């Protein structure tokens, strides 16, 4: 890089910059094409699908092994009962522990390997960084529309602004999305829980606690140091001319219900004002880029902004101020893993841990504690499944069942012991939601039902009536896209990664727990892996949730009265086996934000060239969508 070389004459800089761009283009054009990844203008397939062969893998793996061992020793101490080993909080130097403080006690070979791995990681980052933007820049692609980014669940940092005695030590420190969070969770778990959980009755701040979403690009670029979220998109946007004057990250407190986002933080009012301001300054409509839960936030905003009782923008506000909506990995019909998270504090990530890891996790943060935390974040419950049995199937069948599978996806919660006290029968999605509300505290049930709806509007009149009910605004099967004929919707999402689709449960044998059931990790047959039934998706959001509205739902007139153009572009999960984040061709729910073809598509839309993008479908979503039991009331059921 230039900054690492000796000082250069200022006259040489333009020449060197041009040379850097040309070299990058030659490199990119020399790469082999990947089937099905071509996009108009210059094929996306030519975006460096290969990375330099890593050197010293054995040494890197040895370093990781030693580092894992060191971390394991520390974690084992943290997980010990207070009376078992040591009181870590009694060691004043531990709070300031970092790798620099360990250099005097670690073996020289370990430190040498650490530096080697760190250098290799920097080389990989330098190779990938800015490459998509440089490629498009050489093709004349430049910043055009203002860009507003709306992040997904948990990817926005939360920092403390409380000044009570218990909060002063955390003032302006991030209690979500930083190493400060890790330290607080380990050394002051009760205090961390008090700060991170919302009031169970109001869904707002508990007395004396004030946690707020971090703001600016720093709020979403990295989760913790080294673990990027939006940073690669920011790098590439900057390369074609974006900066804080024409792009903006609309971070929000993802714990809050959507109504409380406006009540406490005036989030939607601020978003509306920002979009109007950038339009006034630039004279151009904005491109909205949302990820995961952020896509639900945008859909809710569309209804809020045109409501006479709320945003008061009028029915044509979206048409006037929004050019396009890029919906990345949007959980439009929910993320099924959210239900077991609030029911029993579990999901695939916990069910598939080995026995020792489960023991450690339970000692540190039990299932009961995890369920309580998830329930006290009403925003998480916005992703409970929508559409009921019409979308997700019944007792014997589901639209996305495959011919050779042993267990139908139609029963969402399954019990091996049908005569169990807490499991009289296997449950569909509709029945599972009822089961959840029957077996959780009334405060949680009230928070969810007061803010969200999970049904289907089967007629145009129902959809129109639902515009007056804010609980329906989140659900694209109960309300419609805005009447904005010139709006474009782009659905970009990953496929081909096993994703949670259903579960096997059993009665809990823990007499100390208030939870009645737990995932039955003893079941492993066919698609069932330790009690988790795996289907199609991006590893987090099932294919039906990310793809149905794009493939079929928004082609039904009552859900898209203006005939808004909807383009869907699927990206198969083809990870680099040696890259922990999957590399440039990953389709993972979060890591896809660093995928080169996704970055290319985002930049094209932002630059005003989105009209050249065409549908690219590699999954069976069209077939599955045709089997969903939702029909066009204007055409008749035979057309469904």
């Amino acid at each position: 890089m230039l900054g690492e070389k000796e000082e250069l004459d200022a006259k040489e800089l333009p020449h060197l910059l041009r040379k850097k761009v040309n070299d990058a283009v030659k490199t990119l054009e020399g790469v082999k094409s990947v089937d099905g990844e071509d996009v108009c203008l210059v094929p996306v397939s030519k975006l460096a699908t290969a990375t330099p062969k890593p050197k010293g893998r054995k040494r890197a793996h040895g370093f990781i092994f030693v580092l894992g061992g060191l971390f394991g020793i520390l974690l084992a101490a943290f997980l010990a009962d207070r009376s078992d080993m040591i009181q870590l909080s009694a060691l004043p130097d531990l709070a300031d522990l970092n790798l620099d403080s360990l250099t005097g006690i670690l073996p020289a070979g370990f430190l040498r390997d650490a530096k080697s791995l760190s250098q290799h990681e920097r080389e990989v980052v330098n190779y990938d960084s800015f490459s998509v933007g440089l490629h498009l820049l050489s093709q004349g692609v430049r910043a055009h529309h203002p860009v507003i980014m709306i992040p997904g669940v948990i990817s926005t940092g939360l920092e403390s602004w409380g000044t009570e005695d218990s909060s002063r030590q955390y003032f302006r420190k991030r209690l979500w999305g930083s190493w400060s969070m890790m330290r607080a969770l380990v050394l002051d778990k009760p205090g961390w829980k008090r700060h991170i959980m919302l009031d169970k009755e109001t869904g707002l701040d508990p007395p004396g606690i004030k946690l707020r979403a971090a703001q600016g690009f720093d709020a979403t670029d990295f989760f913790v140091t080294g673990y990027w979220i939006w940073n690669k998109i920011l790098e590439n946007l900057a390369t074609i001319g974006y900066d804080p004057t024409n792009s903006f990250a609309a971070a929000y407190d993802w714990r809050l219900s959507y109504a409380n986002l406006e009540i406490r933080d005036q989030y939607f009012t601020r978003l509306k004002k920002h979009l109007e301001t950038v339009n006034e300054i630039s004279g151009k409509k904005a491109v909205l880029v949302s990820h995961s839960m952020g896509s639900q936030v945008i859909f809710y905003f569309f209804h809020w902004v045109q409501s006479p009782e709320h945003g008061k923008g009028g029915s044509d506000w979206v048409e006037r101020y929004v050019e396009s909506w890029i919906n990345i990995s949007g959980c439009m019909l929910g993320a099924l893993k959210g239900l077991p998270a609030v029911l029993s504090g579990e999901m695939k990530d916990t069910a598939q841990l080995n026995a020792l890891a489960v023991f450690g996790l339970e000692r540190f943060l039990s299932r009961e504690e995890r369920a309580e935390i998830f329930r006290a974040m009403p925003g998480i419950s916005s992703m409970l499944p929508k559409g009921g049995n019409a979308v997700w199937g019944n007792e014997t069948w589901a639209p996305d069942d495959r011919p050779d599978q042993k267990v139908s996806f139609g029963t969402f919660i399954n019990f091996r012991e049908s005569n169990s006290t807490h499991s009289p029968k296997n449950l569909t999605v509709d029945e599972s939601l009822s089961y959840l509300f029957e077996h959780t505290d009334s405060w949680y049930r009230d928070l969810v039902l007061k803010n969200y709806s999970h049904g289907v509007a089967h007629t145009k009149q129902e959809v129109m009536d639902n515009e007056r009910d804010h609980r329906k605004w989140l659900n694209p099967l109960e309300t419609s896209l805005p009447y904005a004929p010139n709006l474009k919707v782009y659905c970009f999402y990953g496929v081909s990664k096993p994703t949670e689709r259903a579960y096997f449960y059993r009665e809990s044998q823990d007499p100390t727990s208030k939870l009645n059931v737990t995932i039955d990790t003893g079941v492993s047959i066919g698609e069932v892996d330790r009690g988790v039934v795996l289907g199609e998706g991006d590893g987090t959001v099932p294919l039906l949730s990310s793809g149905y509205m794009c493939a079929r739902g928004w082609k039904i007139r009552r859900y898209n009265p203006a005939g808004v153009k909807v383009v869907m572009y699927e990206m198969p999960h083809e990870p680099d086996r040696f890259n922990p984040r999957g590399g440039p061709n990953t389709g993972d729910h979060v890591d896809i934000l660093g995928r080169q073809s996704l970055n290319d598509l985002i930049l094209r839309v932002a630059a005003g060239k989105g009209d050249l993008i065409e549908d690219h479908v590699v999954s069976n979503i069209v077939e599955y969508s045709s089997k969903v039991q939702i029909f066009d009331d204007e055409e008749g059921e035979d057309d469904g």
Side-chain angles (χ1 to χ4, degrees):
M1 294 180 64
L2 292 176
E4 296 171 350
K5 298 182 178 179
E6 59 186 9
E7 188 174 354
L8 297 166
D9 190 289
K11 295 179 181 178
E12 297 181 46
L13 290 176
H15 170 71
L16 288 171
L17 182 58
R18 283 195 300 272
K19 185 176 184 301
K20 186 175 180 65
V21 171
N22 291 333
D23 289 346
V25 171
K26 289 178 182 177
T27 300
L28 293 169
E29 290 178 344
V31 175
K32 228 175 209 183
S33 176
V34 174
D35 291 340
E37 281 291 299
D38 287 351
V39 183
C40 299
L41 208 83
V42 172
V44 174
S45 58
K46 294 187 178 180
L47 292 174
T49 57
T51 55
K53 185 177 180 180
K55 298 179 180 179
R57 279 185 191 142
K58 290 184 179 178
R59 173 167 289 190
H61 291 171
F63 163 71
I64 293 172
F65 179 80
V66 176
L67 182 60
L70 176 63
F71 180 75
I73 292 171
L74 292 173
L75 187 61
F78 287 142
L79 299 182
D81 190 78
R82 296 182 179 180
S83 61
D84 284 348
M85 291 179 62
I86 54 176
Q87 283 287 343
L88 292 173
S89 58
L91 302 177
D93 294 336
L94 184 62
D96 299 320
L97 182 66
N98 54 56
L99 286 178
D100 291 336
S101 67
L102 298 174
T103 56
I105 61 174
L106 294 175
F110 176 83
L111 296 174
R112 189 167 52 250
D113 289 345
K115 291 178 181 178
S116 174
L117 179 64
S118 178
Q119 177 63 30
H120 168 62
E121 291 301 321
R122 282 197 296 270
E123 289 173 358
V124 171
V125 170
N126 289 339
Y127 180 85
D128 289 338
S129 298
F130 310 103
S131 61
V132 175
L134 288 170
H135 183 50
L136 291 179
L137 189 66
S138 71
Q139 302 297 312
V141 174
R142 299 291 188 276
H144 184 72
H145 294 286
V147 171
I148 314 296
M149 289 160 276
I150 299 87
V153 64
I154 77 173
S155 61
T156 295
L158 303 175
E159 57 188 28
S160 175
W161 282 83
T163 57
E164 299 284 333
D165 289 344
S166 62
S167 297
R168 287 174 190 163
Q169 62 177 318
Y170 299 124
F171 183 71
R172 294 212 60 209
K173 287 186 170 63
R174 291 195 184 179
L175 293 181
W176 186 270
S178 73
W179 293 112
S180 297
M181 170 190 76
M182 306 296 189
R183 190 169 62 189
L185 178 58
V186 168
L187 297 179
D188 182 22
K189 186 177 75 172
W192 180 81
K193 285 179 59 181
R194 283 196 305 272
H195 281 78
I196 205 71
M197 293 169 61
L198 294 169
D199 185 274
K200 294 177 179 178
E201 300 299 328
T202 65
L204 296 168
D205 295 319
I209 301 295
K210 192 175 186 181
L211 224 60
R212 294 294 181 269
Q215 296 300 311
F217 298 122
D218 286 346
T220 60
D221 54 355
F222 289 87
F223 181 69
V224 294
T225 304
Y227 191 92
W228 50 262
I229 303 291
W230 284 79
N231 192 60
K232 291 188 178 296
I233 291 175
L234 294 175
E235 289 173 344
N236 286 303
L237 283 171
T239 307
I240 66 168
Y242 283 96
D243 57 42
T245 65
N246 56 0
S247 60
F248 174 70
Y252 59 95
D253 188 340
W254 43 267
R255 302 172 304 153
L256 293 168
S257 68
Y258 296 22
N260 279 343
L261 271 175
E262 177 63 20
I263 291 171
R264 195 196 73 177
D265 297 346
Q266 300 80 51
Y267 176 79
F268 297 113
T269 295
R270 297 174 191 275
L271 181 58
K272 175 176 180 278
K273 294 296 183 184
H274 188 86
L275 283 162
E276 291 172 344
T277 300
V278 298
N279 180 270
E280 181 180 353
I281 292 172
S282 69
K284 300 181 181 72
K285 296 193 285 187
V287 170
L288 302 178
V289 186
S290 61
H291 175 244
S292 188
M293 176 179 168
S295 296
Q296 292 192 149
V297 172
I298 286 298
F299 194 73
Y300 184 97
F301 171 71
F302 284 159
H303 298 285
W304 178 91
V305 75
Q306 64 187 15
S307 167
E309 292 80 27
H310 295 86
K312 302 177 182 178
S315 59
D316 64 341
W317 190 94
V318 174
E319 174 73 7
R320 286 185 285 134
Y321 292 104
V322 181
E323 172 69 19
S324 302
W325 169 28
I326 300 176
N327 165 22
I328 305 170
S329 305
C331 48
M332 300 311 300
L333 301 183
L336 295 176
K337 66 190 299 180
L339 198 150
V342 292
L343 175 62
S344 59
E346 300 170 291
M347 55 189 73
K348 177 171 71 74
D349 308 289
T350 59
Q352 296 182 353
L353 292 174
N354 61 45
L356 182 60
V358 169
F359 173 78
L361 180 61
E362 289 300 310
R363 294 290 293 273
F364 182 55
L365 201 63
S366 68
R367 292 191 306 114
E368 190 172 336
E369 287 180 297
R370 299 196 301 269
E372 181 187 26
I373 291 171
F374 287 137
R375 293 173 191 175
M377 298 175 173
I380 295 287
S381 293
S382 72
M383 294 183 290
L384 290 174
K386 303 171 185 65
N389 296 359
V391 171
W392 302 106
N394 56 32
E395 293 85 352
T396 60
W397 169 89
D400 50 339
D401 279 347
R402 296 184 292 265
D404 57 342
Q405 71 185 58
K406 294 180 172 59
V407 178
S408 171
F409 296 138
T411 49
F412 180 61
I413 293 182
N414 302 274
F415 297 94
R416 281 197 295 179
E417 300 178 9
S418 59
N419 59 348
S420 171
T421 305
H422 298 288
S423 52
K425 55 172 289 191
N426 294 335
L427 307 173
T428 65
V429 162
D430 274 339
E431 293 166 336
S432 296
L433 284 171
S434 299
Y435 183 87
L436 170 68
F437 297 140
E438 290 168 4
H439 291 82
T440 49
D441 295 322
S442 59
W443 63 264
Y444 171 72
R445 179 177 64 251
D446 293 343
L447 276 177
V448 173
L449 297 181
K450 183 173 70 175
N451 286 286
Y452 310 124
S453 178
H454 307 94
V456 177
H458 290 283
T459 67
K460 178 180 177 181
Q461 188 60 49
E462 286 180 81
V463 171
M464 294 173 62
D465 292 343
N466 288 341
E467 288 297 328
R468 296 189 291 272
D469 186 349
H470 76 91
R471 297 175 304 156
K472 315 284 188 178
W473 292 350
L474 186 65
N475 186 347
L477 295 175
E478 293 188 292
T479 52
S480 67
L481 284 170
Y483 196 86
N486 292 304
L487 174 69
K488 275 82 70 179
V489 177
Y490 298 92
C491 301
F492 301 150
Y493 57 90
V495 297
S496 307
K497 185 173 184 181
T499 304
E500 291 164 73
R501 183 61 177 83
Y503 303 86
F504 276 83
Y505 266 79
R506 62 173 174 81
E507 283 194 4
S508 174
Q509 304 300 317
D510 184 357
T512 66
S513 175
K514 295 180 182 178
L515 301 178
N516 298 320
V517 293
T518 183
I519 290 179
D520 189 348
T521 57
V523 181
S524 290
I525 53 168
E527 299 78 21
V528 188
D529 184 5
R530 282 167 281 188
V532 180
V533 187
L534 297 172
E536 299 174 66
D538 64 7
T540 296
V541 178
L543 178 60
L544 278 173
S545 180
S546 55
Y548 171 75
M549 293 307 302
C550 312
R552 167 65 178 164
W554 284 324
K555 290 180 171 60
I556 297 176
R557 180 64 64 179
R558 66 177 178 273
Y559 299 136
N560 185 4
V564 169
K565 180 182 179 181
V566 179
V567 177
M568 55 189 301
Y569 197 100
E570 296 186 333
M571 303 178 196
H573 182 55
E574 299 169 340
D576 178 350
R577 59 181 296 190
F578 296 109
N579 190 317
R581 300 296 302 277
N585 295 307
T586 178
D588 176 81
H589 182 70
V590 174
D591 296 342
I592 197 173
L593 293 174
R595 184 182 176 109
Q596 290 183 326
S597 56
L598 174 68
N599 276 253
D600 181 270
L601 292 167
I602 292 171
L603 266 59
R604 293 178 193 273
V605 175
K609 300 182 183 299
D611 288 341
L612 300 176
I613 300 172
E614 298 179 350
D615 286 343
H616 178 70
V617 180
V618 298
S619 75
N620 294 321
I621 185 59
V622 175
E623 175 191 345
Y624 297 158
S625 297
S626 69
K627 297 177 182 179
V628 168
Q629 300 298 294
I630 298 175
F631 307 102
D632 192 334
D633 59 325
E634 295 184 4
E635 296 179 2
E637 292 192 0
D638 289 337
D639 296 323

